[in-house]
Amino acid sequence: MLLKGQKYLVVGGVTMDIICNADNIEKVNLSHYRTSEKVICIRFASKTPLRDFKLDFGGSAANSAVTLSRVGDRVDLLSCVGKDYFGGACIENVKDFGVSTKLIKRRGQKTGFGISILTLDGEKSVLVYRGSNDYLSTKDISEKEIKKVDNIFITSLVSKDNFLLFKKILTLCKKNNKTVIFAPSISMLRDYKKEIKKLEKFFDITIMNLEEARYFTSRLDIKEVIKSLPGVVRVVSADVNGAYGFDGDRILKIGIVPLRVIDSTGAGDTFSACFCHEFLKTNSVESALCFATLCASLKVNHIGARFNKSLREVQSAYKKYKRYLSVKEIR
């Protein structure tokens, strides 16, 4: 059941990130039966120079939670960090953005880490150490916490303990009529594709990028892909080709706002969070696609995984870029 609400529980990973800017890295497109993949190539047994690097905060759940908070929603974040320095820094960072950290767990494992390698055009590949994120489990959530929120936003949950938590949350959401937003990573889909397909009835809004959606549905054509996804509302982001939305009747497409791509890290998280914020406020897929596309375009225009604009700044940008935010139905 889709409910309008402004209180979210966001579930998933928090990481520290090292963002590396590299010039001499080749990109290759690989096409397979019913799927496609882009890879980067680094010379074997050789040093690849970096133009610059930056230590920052990341993690899909944290990025999404921060974005929701910045556009005016109330957010609880359910995640796990280590008892090390980085764990404390991660908690303080999301707290600074107005996100409630009362459900963030601290355990003895190291805090998760990501190494993002950015190419000249802003595209990225990421090396991930999940660390304490993998230890988030069923004991870390209760029905009481589920009842306090309107919408549950689930990002990537990869370990076996994570997946048991995932199933527990879905069951509690069904029991308490909560809106479930499912925004997984390709890693989660690769590990649990068959199991997730058995749980499709629990999803209200499903959001994936094109690579994830093609992998999950085993289809290539976007119309077949989006119709084959689970959820009452289904959304597929497609990088420079814009984004697609399906409301159960129409397939809608929106292009991009032509801002310079400096860093695409976290852009998908920004898109997903902003789509949900706007859709659950307006019940309009068109409006949600416009808002999410604008915010994601503003995100890629700066380095770092966090969305750094206020709602007022987004509204000002809308006036400037409105001509690019046109939604069309495709058949």
Side-chain angles (χ1 to χ4, degrees):
M1 179 180 179
L2 292 177
L3 301 174
K4 291 184 178 181
Q6 294 299 309
K7 180 68 181 291
Y8 287 80
L9 172 63
V10 181
V11 186
V14 176
T15 63
M16 288 296 303
D17 286 351
I18 298 178
I19 303 171
C20 304
N21 298 88
D23 296 339
N24 302 315
I25 293 181
E26 295 185 29
K27 293 190 298 182
V28 179
N29 290 321
L30 300 179
S31 295
H32 308 286
Y33 178 66
R34 290 189 178 276
T35 188
S36 63
E37 187 172 9
K38 293 187 292 185
V39 300
I40 64 170
C41 298
I42 300 176
R43 292 185 182 277
F44 179 71
S46 178
K47 292 182 179 179
T48 299
L50 298 176
R51 176 167 33 91
D52 196 6
F53 76 93
K54 176 184 179 182
L55 186 65
D56 206 348
F57 300 93
S60 291
N63 294 339
S64 301
V66 166
T67 300
L68 287 166
S69 181
R70 287 197 68 87
V71 296
D73 294 312
R74 292 172 294 127
V75 188
D76 289 339
L77 177 58
L78 175 60
S79 192
C80 187
V81 298
K83 294 181 179 179
D84 49 21
Y85 168 81
F86 294 121
C90 286
I91 290 174
E92 291 304 313
N93 174 260
V94 294
K95 187 183 295 184
D96 286 344
F97 287 100
V99 174
S100 171
T101 60
K102 64 183 180 182
L103 296 180
I104 297 182
K105 314 302 176 183
R106 298 197 74 174
R107 304 234 159 86
Q109 298 76 22
K110 294 178 182 177
T111 298
F113 234 91
I115 302 176
S116 297
I117 303 172
L118 301 183
T119 59
L120 278 172
D121 57 4
E123 292 300 317
K124 72 179 188 303
S125 290
V126 184
L127 302 175
V128 176
Y129 169 72
R130 293 193 54 79
S132 55
N133 289 304
D134 279 345
Y135 292 86
L136 201 62
S137 67
T138 54
K139 66 182 180 182
D140 295 319
I141 193 65
S142 68
E143 186 171 3
K144 178 182 177 181
E145 300 300 337
I146 296 292
K147 287 181 175 180
K148 291 179 180 178
V149 302
D150 302 296
N151 313 307
I152 289 76
F153 190 113
I154 304 173
T155 64
S156 187
L157 295 169
V158 178
S159 72
K160 290 182 179 179
D161 282 343
N162 287 172
F163 198 75
L164 292 174
L165 170 67
F166 175 63
K167 293 198 289 186
K168 178 181 178 179
I169 290 173
L170 292 181
T171 300
L172 292 175
C173 288
K174 187 73 172 179
K175 178 181 177 182
N176 291 281
N177 292 321
K178 303 299 181 179
T179 299
V180 174
I181 300 124
F182 184 44
S185 68
I186 191 68
S187 299
M188 184 179 183
L189 297 179
R190 284 173 176 159
D191 288 349
Y192 300 105
K193 180 177 177 178
K194 290 183 180 180
E195 291 91 337
I196 291 171
K197 284 186 173 291
K198 296 176 183 178
L199 301 168
E200 291 182 349
K201 65 181 180 180
F202 291 99
F203 308 146
D204 294 303
I205 302 173
T206 299
I207 306 176
M208 298 184 190
N209 65 35
L210 187 57
E211 178 191 0
E212 295 159 352
R214 281 176 168 168
Y215 177 81
F216 187 72
T217 63
S218 299
R219 289 170 168 80
L220 279 177
D221 180 75
I222 186 61
K223 291 185 286 187
E224 293 181 4
V225 167
I226 203 164
K227 286 184 177 180
S228 300
L229 289 175
V232 180
V233 173
R234 309 155 202 182
V235 184
V236 175
S237 58
D239 296 325
V240 296
N241 292 316
Y244 301 83
F246 182 62
D247 60 6
D249 180 31
R250 301 170 300 157
I251 299 176
L252 303 170
K253 183 182 187 302
I254 188 169
I256 62 170
V257 177
L259 291 172
R260 181 188 174 197
V261 178
I262 296 176
D263 180 5
S264 62
T265 308
D269 305 323
T270 294
F271 179 91
S272 300
C274 289
F275 180 91
C276 294
H277 165 84
E278 186 68 11
F279 177 76
L280 292 170
K281 184 176 71 173
T282 66
N283 203 37
S284 168
V285 172
E286 292 97 326
S287 179
L289 283 173
C290 289
F291 187 74
T293 297
L294 175 60
C295 291
S297 298
L298 294 172
K299 160 61 208 66
V300 301
N301 196 234
H302 70 86
I303 290 179
R306 300 283 197 257
F307 183 59
N308 69 349
K309 305 298 181 185
S310 67
L311 187 56
R312 180 174 295 181
E313 288 174 309
V314 174
Q315 292 167 343
S316 177
Y318 178 78
K319 296 176 182 177
K320 184 176 181 180
Y321 299 112
K322 182 178 179 179
R323 65 186 182 278
Y324 297 109
L325 299 171
S326 175
V327 177
K328 299 179 181 179
E329 182 177 355
I330 63 174
R331 300 182 180 278

